[in-house]
Each structure stands twice: as structure tokens, then as C-alpha cells.
Amino acid sequence: MLSSAAASLAALLFSHAALAFDPFVVRDIRIDGVQRTEPGTVFGYLPVKVGEMLTEDKAAAAVRALFATGFFKDVRLEVEGDVLVVYLEERPAIASLVITGTKEFDQETIKRALRDQGLAESRIFDRSVLERAEQELKRQYLSRGKYATRVTSTVTPLERNRVGITLAVEEGESAKIDSIRFVGNKAFTEKQLLDQMRLTTPNWLSWYTKTDQYSREKLSGDLEALRSFYLNRGYLEFSVDSTQVSISPDKEDVTLTVALTEGGVYRVRDVQVRGQLLGRDQEFTSLVSLAPGQTFSGQKLADSQKAITDRLGTLGYAFANVNAVPRIDRDKREVDFEFLVDPGRRVYVRRINVSGNARTRDEVVRREMRQFEDAWYDAEKIRLSRERIGRLGYFTNVRVESRPVADAPDQVDLDVIVDEQPTGAITFGVGVSSAESLILSASLNQQNFLGTGKAFGLSVNTSKINRSFALSYADPYYTPEGISRAFDLYSRNFNAAELDLGDYKWRSSGVGIRYGIPYTEFDRISMGLTYETNTLKLGGNAPQRFKDYVADFGEDSSALLAVLGWQRDSRDSAFAPTKGRFQTATLEVTLPALDMRYARALYNHQWYLPLSKDYTLALNGDIAFGRAFGGKEYPLFKNFYAGGIGSVRGFAQSSLGPRDAIDDVPLGGQTRVVGSAEFIFPLPGTGNDRSFRSFVFLDAGNVFPTGGIDLGDLRYSVGIGLNWASPVGPMKLSFGFPLNKKDEDRSQRIQFQLGTGF
């Protein structure tokens, strides 16, 4: 920039020397020296027009104006009679910009940052802009902890007054945090304070989390976490005095030193709520969780302010302001708080905007909204809307932000911002085995088909032993009121003789339809009919249980199944719930018109209890009963099974319960009881990344043949696991350890599920 200014000054002085002339009327203006710049552009910037009187002051102003465009590196004015001649030397244009050696950032990210600095292809080349761009590039690397980064620029002249620019980057190694020290801490140990910070020294996971790489933003967040830690324990006057960042001479190690003043522990002496309370003095006072006699807590103070603000939000006051004013008695270490309430103006929602849904249609999001346009702002309805959108399972994150409308103080717009996630799974399989020869399988499941919110599923499997086909389709908004409709079509064939499990073949086919009716914001009932046929072909060496089945139902049997269900979903998210419940109850009963006569009842209850911002306790209970009536036997293929992921981990999939004495295969049972408790926490080093969720679990369960439940026969297991929304689809991995394995049980320590997302 200084070089440009010096050139302008020199040119201006030269122009004054050259233009020692008497004022005259300009009859014509001639432009010389331009190649890319249009003459019209020059005339547009030139403050002198044909027919005007040209003075030395106007000539100097003309030179300054043309230099100020940045297009030219030399400007001269000459006079030929009454003609003003403008001689220009253009700056070169940037023909190409090549960046090499970058691994930390992708090319587009870097070019976008350089473009913001004024350096990009087709722009005018300016050496000062290039220097600024180099510094910006180094600054970007410094934010990633790379202090040894070097940037070398090369400018190559090209034909037609153009240049090619090459930026060669040597990234170097990222500087690691060698140590983190605290000065001034007396009440808490260094280890306790380090536990509050995301920045760490190198550990076994830091290669992935990068928490051992210093950045100013990360440190600011950690200092806020330290401040909250002290404030929540009564240290009202805690302060961070300074932070010192020391870099080793080789720029590979960083030492952080945090100097702090703890102050003393304060107790709350008195709390008052004042201001414009809208006649709700008692109600607002009851929302304050900070009580006299308690040790001061910054979290309780913030919660109290939020509770009053949220309550005002439900009344339409979107921009209410609640300030807590402290009065500190340092001698007694006591503090009084006065909550000053200013509700502001009551507002209504003008417009709701949806963004981030590249795949999902707007209407799929909007139909879950309970806050409507042209209605009074209601914070509770907005919260409910956000949770309903989150329960769809299509998005990893849902945010709703209020934005004031310009020149309309009683209106706001709502911005609903969603982050989409893969909602489908597609798998293909080809295999060869000695038992089944060629095996082909494929499945397609999409919970948000073509972005419409409808669910579609198709699976095909073919081999000598198993052949199956299943098709399902569900429309959650078959009617605008939210009544859902679903169809199912399936056919399954099993040839047991190929596995030496008995001389029989089984085929089961069915078609069904279901309707769901919502009757509260969280509850829905469903009802449907399924027609199913079963064919059992027996050979001479068929197991006795199948002979008994044929004796009771015949080789061909059918059933018309009536299904009644109930579902309640109050979770805050279907992707990674932290609070709320999910309950389902289903009753299946065969109608008397056809062969089989049985009923099945199933109930599942999932309960998520938030223990803190990062920790959740998840409880799950599952109980199911099946019984025959009308003098018929209970169908074998309707038995329940337990074991594996989804029931009792650590035991082989569907292996628990009684087994056939001859072929040693699991028989299942008419009763199933399964329960589990999971303590869910972030994977160490991943912060609040909800795509990673680790857990420890305790499982219990079993299946029982016909009679009641024998709690003494339950199987137990403990273990650890990981849920990961991986780039190829959702993955669940568990390491289970059976606690009371019997001789007949089959254990399986490592179990996982993986789908391919799209």
C-alpha cells in the first residue's frame, strides 16, 4: 500500500511539473496505453469533461482519481493544443492462481479466503494485496496450530499484460501442547481444572480429536468453562487475569499458562423480582431457583433468568430482558440479587423460513410446526415444533432462531435451520457357501423417500436355503390432519433340509394395511389388518414339533390378523435423544374366519433421563406375550427370541431360551422379557459431537416356552459400546460379557450393526 501511495505521489509531482500550463477549455480527450480497460471506464472515472475549463488543480484531481481505481500503475496527462491526452500504464491482470502443498485445507476454502482479500483470477494484480493474502493464509494455518508454515509466492509475467501467481505452502507439523499450567488456584487442583478444558496434552485419541493443538478459539471456550466451573461453586468474583502462550524455538511445542484469581465463596442473602411483571409477581418469583441461604451458583442464576424469559416468551414477548443485578457484601461474603424484568413489546410471527433442507421438502418440516405464521409468538410452541422436527429422524440438528422484522417492532420472522443426515440404507451382497451355493441379497430402506417424509423399504434375498421378498410403504401424512397409512407385502421361504435341520420346507406370505391416528402432540393409535398364509411341506425326517403343527393346522394354514397399537414419543430427538420417553404397545389378534387362532401383546418403553449436558441415562423395557385360543396350538413361527444387539448383548443373536433336543437350534418362546440400562456419554476427546456416543450397559432378559416368567432364569450381561453416525451409515458396536452363562447358552462378545447411508 505504501509503494502504491509513493508511486501516486511521484506521478502527481511529475504531472504538476509537466502540466505547467495556462487554464484552457478542453475540446477533446484522447486515451492512450489501455489494452483491457474500456475507454468508457476511464472516462467514467475522469473528473474532466469535454467543454470544461482544465486547471492545474483539476489535472491533479484527475491523476488522483485514476490512480485510486487501482487499475493503473502509471498515469500521465499531457496537453496537445486544446486536446487533453491521458497516458496510462495498466496493472497486469491475474490469469491464474495456483496453490500447492496444502493438506490441512481444501483448495476451494483457501481460494475463497484469498478472494475475500482481493486476490483471485481475473482481478487486477497488486503486490500489496498479494502480501496481505500471504499473511491471511499464514493466519489460517496458525488457527490450526501450525506455527512453522511458510508461504512462498512466485509471480510469472505472461503475454497481454497478465501474470500467473503460484503460492507454494510448506505446512510443517502442527505444534502440540506440551503442558498446561495454572497460577493462583488454591481451592481446586490442577487436575480438576484440566478436566474442565477441551485442550489437552497429547493422549491416545488426540490424533483424531486434535485437542492437543492450540487455537485461540478453543482456549477462549476453555476459559469460559473454567469461569462457569468456579461460578457454579460460589466464586462470584473469579477472574482470569492473563493467559500466556509460549512456543518452543522449533515451533513444535506450546506451553499454556493461565493466571487466575479465585476470590471467595459467596452465599445468597436475598432475592427480589421487580420490573414490569404483568400482574404475575408470584409466578415469576416461583421461577427463581436461586434461594436465600444457598451458596451462589452461576448456573442457577442463569437458569432463573432463562425460566422467566421463557415464560414471557410463551406469552408472546419474544425479546424480553431479565437482568440480575448483584449487591455484594465483601465483608460478610454475601450477595443480594434483584431480577429486573422488562418484557418489551408483545410480538407475533410474520413469516417462517426453512433452510438447510437440500433433500427434504419444506412441507415435511412445516407440517411439524406448532407455531404458525400470523399468530402470537409462543416460545413453548416453538420448542415443541423443534422437538417434533427432531423426532422425524431426518436431521442431526434443528435450530429455530427469531429475527426481528425491520421497521416492525411487533413482528418477528422465525428461521428454522436443519442439518440433514442420511435417512436411508442400501446394501448389496453376493456370496458363495458350500451349503447355499450362490447367495444374492439386496435391501433398500429410505425413511424420507425423495424428501417427502414417506418411508419405503424393499429387500430381496435368494439362496438354496432362504428366499425372501419384502416390500413396505408408509405415508405419515396420508391426510393433512396427520393420519398415516402403510402397506406391507412379504414372502419368505426356508428349506431346512439344506442345513440338516430337518426334512421340511416353509413358506410364509402376507399382505397388510395399517392406519395411524394422532390424538395428542405425543400420542398416536394405529389399527390394521394383515392376511397371511403359511405352507409347511414335510419330508420323512421332519422334526416332531412340525409334525404336531401340521396335525393341528394342516400343511396350508392362513390367518387374518387384526392389529391395534399405541405409541407415545416425547423424546427431544430421534437421532440422539437425551430426554423424554418412547413407548409402544401392540395387540395382534387373529379373527375367527380362518385357521389359526392366537394373540400376541408387545410393550416397549424407552426412557431417557438427562444427568447433565453431556451424560444421559437410558432405560429400556420390553415384554411380549403370545397365546393360542380356540383349542388351537400356538404357531411355531410366531415365537419370540432374545439375545444379541437389541436384547441381551453378549449372547449370540436369538440364541436364548429353550433349544431343540435333536438339532440343538433355538426354539424361542411364547413370552419374552428384556430390560437394559445404558449410561451414555460423549466419546472421550470428541466434545459435544453427537455423531459419537459411547455407553456402558447392563442387560437382562430371556424367553420362556409357554408358562409364566421365571425371574431366576433371566440372563444378565454387562459391557461397553459405541453408536456412530458414520459416513457409510449408522453403526452400533458393543462388547458384551455374560454374567451368568449356562452350558446351553451361546456367547458372542463382539456384536455390531452397520448400514450404508445415502
mmCIF file of all heavy atoms in Angstrom, residues 98-116:
data_model
loop_
_atom_site.group_PDB
_atom_site.id
_atom_site.type_symbol
_atom_site.label_atom_id
_atom_site.label_comp_id
_atom_site.label_asym_id
_atom_site.label_seq_id
_atom_site.Cartn_x
_atom_site.Cartn_y
_atom_site.Cartn_z
ATOM 1 N N VAL A 98 -2.440 -20.548 -8.587
ATOM 2 C CA VAL A 98 -2.186 -21.952 -8.267
ATOM 3 C C VAL A 98 -1.647 -22.034 -6.844
ATOM 4 O O VAL A 98 -0.739 -21.283 -6.466
ATOM 5 C CB VAL A 98 -1.179 -22.579 -9.255
ATOM 6 C CG1 VAL A 98 -0.889 -24.026 -8.879
ATOM 7 C CG2 VAL A 98 -1.714 -22.479 -10.679
ATOM 8 N N ILE A 99 -2.225 -22.936 -6.053
ATOM 9 C CA ILE A 99 -1.803 -23.129 -4.661
ATOM 10 C C ILE A 99 -1.337 -24.571 -4.523
ATOM 11 O O ILE A 99 -2.069 -25.511 -4.868
ATOM 12 C CB ILE A 99 -2.956 -22.843 -3.684
ATOM 13 C CG1 ILE A 99 -3.493 -21.432 -3.926
ATOM 14 C CG2 ILE A 99 -2.499 -23.003 -2.245
ATOM 15 C CD1 ILE A 99 -4.782 -21.132 -3.221
ATOM 16 N N THR A 100 -0.145 -24.768 -4.036
ATOM 17 C CA THR A 100 0.415 -26.112 -3.905
ATOM 18 C C THR A 100 0.806 -26.381 -2.454
ATOM 19 O O THR A 100 1.066 -25.458 -1.679
ATOM 20 C CB THR A 100 1.651 -26.284 -4.803
ATOM 21 O OG1 THR A 100 2.683 -25.367 -4.377
ATOM 22 C CG2 THR A 100 1.317 -26.010 -6.257
ATOM 23 N N GLY A 101 0.841 -27.666 -2.104
ATOM 24 C CA GLY A 101 1.345 -28.084 -0.793
ATOM 25 C C GLY A 101 0.333 -28.047 0.325
ATOM 26 O O GLY A 101 0.682 -28.268 1.481
ATOM 27 N N THR A 102 -0.942 -27.790 0.034
ATOM 28 C CA THR A 102 -1.951 -27.686 1.093
ATOM 29 C C THR A 102 -2.606 -29.042 1.353
ATOM 30 O O THR A 102 -3.071 -29.702 0.429
ATOM 31 C CB THR A 102 -3.040 -26.676 0.705
ATOM 32 O OG1 THR A 102 -3.617 -27.072 -0.540
ATOM 33 C CG2 THR A 102 -2.455 -25.294 0.552
ATOM 34 N N LYS A 103 -2.623 -29.434 2.614
ATOM 35 C CA LYS A 103 -3.304 -30.653 3.039
ATOM 36 C C LYS A 103 -4.337 -30.357 4.120
ATOM 37 O O LYS A 103 -5.363 -31.020 4.206
ATOM 38 C CB LYS A 103 -2.288 -31.670 3.568
ATOM 39 C CG LYS A 103 -1.262 -32.116 2.531
ATOM 40 C CD LYS A 103 -0.247 -33.072 3.140
ATOM 41 C CE LYS A 103 0.810 -33.481 2.117
ATOM 42 N NZ LYS A 103 1.855 -34.357 2.724
ATOM 43 N N GLU A 104 -4.055 -29.355 4.929
ATOM 44 C CA GLU A 104 -4.937 -29.027 6.051
ATOM 45 C C GLU A 104 -6.265 -28.448 5.575
ATOM 46 O O GLU A 104 -7.312 -28.685 6.162
ATOM 47 C CB GLU A 104 -4.241 -28.036 6.980
ATOM 48 C CG GLU A 104 -4.947 -27.795 8.298
ATOM 49 C CD GLU A 104 -4.794 -28.966 9.256
ATOM 50 O OE1 GLU A 104 -3.913 -29.820 9.035
ATOM 51 O OE2 GLU A 104 -5.563 -29.025 10.224
ATOM 52 N N PHE A 105 -6.234 -27.677 4.477
ATOM 53 C CA PHE A 105 -7.439 -27.051 3.932
ATOM 54 C C PHE A 105 -7.606 -27.502 2.483
ATOM 55 O O PHE A 105 -6.622 -27.746 1.778
ATOM 56 C CB PHE A 105 -7.340 -25.515 3.952
ATOM 57 C CG PHE A 105 -7.147 -24.927 5.317
ATOM 58 C CD1 PHE A 105 -5.881 -24.603 5.772
ATOM 59 C CD2 PHE A 105 -8.225 -24.685 6.142
ATOM 60 C CE1 PHE A 105 -5.687 -24.048 7.028
ATOM 61 C CE2 PHE A 105 -8.054 -24.131 7.404
ATOM 62 C CZ PHE A 105 -6.780 -23.815 7.849
ATOM 63 N N ASP A 106 -8.843 -27.581 2.041
ATOM 64 C CA ASP A 106 -9.056 -27.880 0.631
ATOM 65 C C ASP A 106 -8.878 -26.608 -0.194
ATOM 66 O O ASP A 106 -8.950 -25.485 0.310
ATOM 67 C CB ASP A 106 -10.447 -28.488 0.397
ATOM 68 C CG ASP A 106 -11.563 -27.520 0.743
ATOM 69 O OD1 ASP A 106 -11.892 -26.670 -0.089
ATOM 70 O OD2 ASP A 106 -12.109 -27.620 1.867
ATOM 71 N N GLN A 107 -8.639 -26.788 -1.475
ATOM 72 C CA GLN A 107 -8.317 -25.673 -2.369
ATOM 73 C C GLN A 107 -9.416 -24.610 -2.398
ATOM 74 O O GLN A 107 -9.135 -23.410 -2.381
ATOM 75 C CB GLN A 107 -8.081 -26.212 -3.786
ATOM 76 C CG GLN A 107 -6.818 -27.044 -3.930
ATOM 77 C CD GLN A 107 -5.584 -26.186 -4.172
ATOM 78 O OE1 GLN A 107 -5.669 -25.157 -4.817
ATOM 79 N NE2 GLN A 107 -4.458 -26.614 -3.644
ATOM 80 N N GLU A 108 -10.663 -25.042 -2.426
ATOM 81 C CA GLU A 108 -11.759 -24.077 -2.534
ATOM 82 C C GLU A 108 -11.844 -23.200 -1.294
ATOM 83 O O GLU A 108 -12.137 -22.003 -1.383
ATOM 84 C CB GLU A 108 -13.085 -24.803 -2.769
ATOM 85 C CG GLU A 108 -13.248 -25.341 -4.179
ATOM 86 C CD GLU A 108 -13.038 -24.262 -5.237
ATOM 87 O OE1 GLU A 108 -13.607 -23.168 -5.089
ATOM 88 O OE2 GLU A 108 -12.292 -24.511 -6.200
ATOM 89 N N THR A 109 -11.605 -23.783 -0.120
ATOM 90 C CA THR A 109 -11.634 -22.994 1.112
ATOM 91 C C THR A 109 -10.562 -21.919 1.090
ATOM 92 O O THR A 109 -10.802 -20.759 1.453
ATOM 93 C CB THR A 109 -11.435 -23.911 2.325
ATOM 94 O OG1 THR A 109 -12.484 -24.876 2.366
ATOM 95 C CG2 THR A 109 -11.446 -23.108 3.618
ATOM 96 N N ILE A 110 -9.356 -22.296 0.648
ATOM 97 C CA ILE A 110 -8.258 -21.323 0.600
ATOM 98 C C ILE A 110 -8.543 -20.237 -0.429
ATOM 99 O O ILE A 110 -8.372 -19.033 -0.164
ATOM 100 C CB ILE A 110 -6.934 -22.041 0.281
ATOM 101 C CG1 ILE A 110 -6.556 -22.974 1.437
ATOM 102 C CG2 ILE A 110 -5.824 -21.041 0.026
ATOM 103 C CD1 ILE A 110 -5.303 -23.760 1.201
ATOM 104 N N LYS A 111 -8.997 -20.622 -1.611
ATOM 105 C CA LYS A 111 -9.261 -19.622 -2.647
ATOM 106 C C LYS A 111 -10.384 -18.676 -2.229
ATOM 107 O O LYS A 111 -10.365 -17.488 -2.573
ATOM 108 C CB LYS A 111 -9.602 -20.321 -3.965
ATOM 109 C CG LYS A 111 -8.384 -20.966 -4.633
ATOM 110 C CD LYS A 111 -8.695 -21.463 -6.031
ATOM 111 C CE LYS A 111 -7.440 -21.977 -6.728
ATOM 112 N NZ LYS A 111 -7.687 -22.422 -8.103
ATOM 113 N N ARG A 112 -11.350 -19.187 -1.496
ATOM 114 C CA ARG A 112 -12.425 -18.315 -1.029
ATOM 115 C C ARG A 112 -11.888 -17.283 -0.040
ATOM 116 O O ARG A 112 -12.267 -16.105 -0.077
ATOM 117 C CB ARG A 112 -13.522 -19.168 -0.387
ATOM 118 C CG ARG A 112 -14.772 -18.391 -0.044
ATOM 119 C CD ARG A 112 -15.962 -19.299 0.175
ATOM 120 N NE ARG A 112 -15.663 -20.385 1.095
ATOM 121 C CZ ARG A 112 -15.608 -21.665 0.749
ATOM 122 N NH1 ARG A 112 -15.814 -22.013 -0.505
ATOM 123 N NH2 ARG A 112 -15.353 -22.597 1.652
ATOM 124 N N ALA A 113 -10.975 -17.719 0.856
ATOM 125 C CA ALA A 113 -10.388 -16.783 1.817
ATOM 126 C C ALA A 113 -9.524 -15.748 1.108
ATOM 127 O O ALA A 113 -9.550 -14.550 1.450
ATOM 128 C CB ALA A 113 -9.559 -17.553 2.844
ATOM 129 N N LEU A 114 -8.760 -16.174 0.099
ATOM 130 C CA LEU A 114 -7.923 -15.227 -0.645
ATOM 131 C C LEU A 114 -8.768 -14.270 -1.473
ATOM 132 O O LEU A 114 -8.408 -13.096 -1.648
ATOM 133 C CB LEU A 114 -6.956 -15.991 -1.548
ATOM 134 C CG LEU A 114 -5.930 -16.888 -0.833
ATOM 135 C CD1 LEU A 114 -5.007 -17.544 -1.838
ATOM 136 C CD2 LEU A 114 -5.138 -16.097 0.190
ATOM 137 N N ARG A 115 -9.885 -14.762 -1.998
ATOM 138 C CA ARG A 115 -10.772 -13.886 -2.769
ATOM 139 C C ARG A 115 -11.299 -12.756 -1.888
ATOM 140 O O ARG A 115 -11.446 -11.611 -2.334
ATOM 141 C CB ARG A 115 -11.922 -14.708 -3.349
ATOM 142 C CG ARG A 115 -12.786 -13.917 -4.334
ATOM 143 C CD ARG A 115 -13.908 -14.777 -4.887
ATOM 144 N NE ARG A 115 -13.380 -15.949 -5.581
ATOM 145 C CZ ARG A 115 -13.563 -17.197 -5.176
ATOM 146 N NH1 ARG A 115 -14.261 -17.448 -4.081
ATOM 147 N NH2 ARG A 115 -13.051 -18.206 -5.857
ATOM 148 N N ASP A 116 -11.584 -13.071 -0.618
ATOM 149 C CA ASP A 116 -12.045 -12.030 0.305
ATOM 150 C C ASP A 116 -10.967 -10.977 0.547
ATOM 151 O O ASP A 116 -11.276 -9.837 0.913
ATOM 152 C CB ASP A 116 -12.459 -12.656 1.638
ATOM 153 C CG ASP A 116 -13.696 -13.540 1.502
ATOM 154 O OD1 ASP A 116 -14.431 -13.363 0.511
ATOM 155 O OD2 ASP A 116 -13.908 -14.402 2.375
#
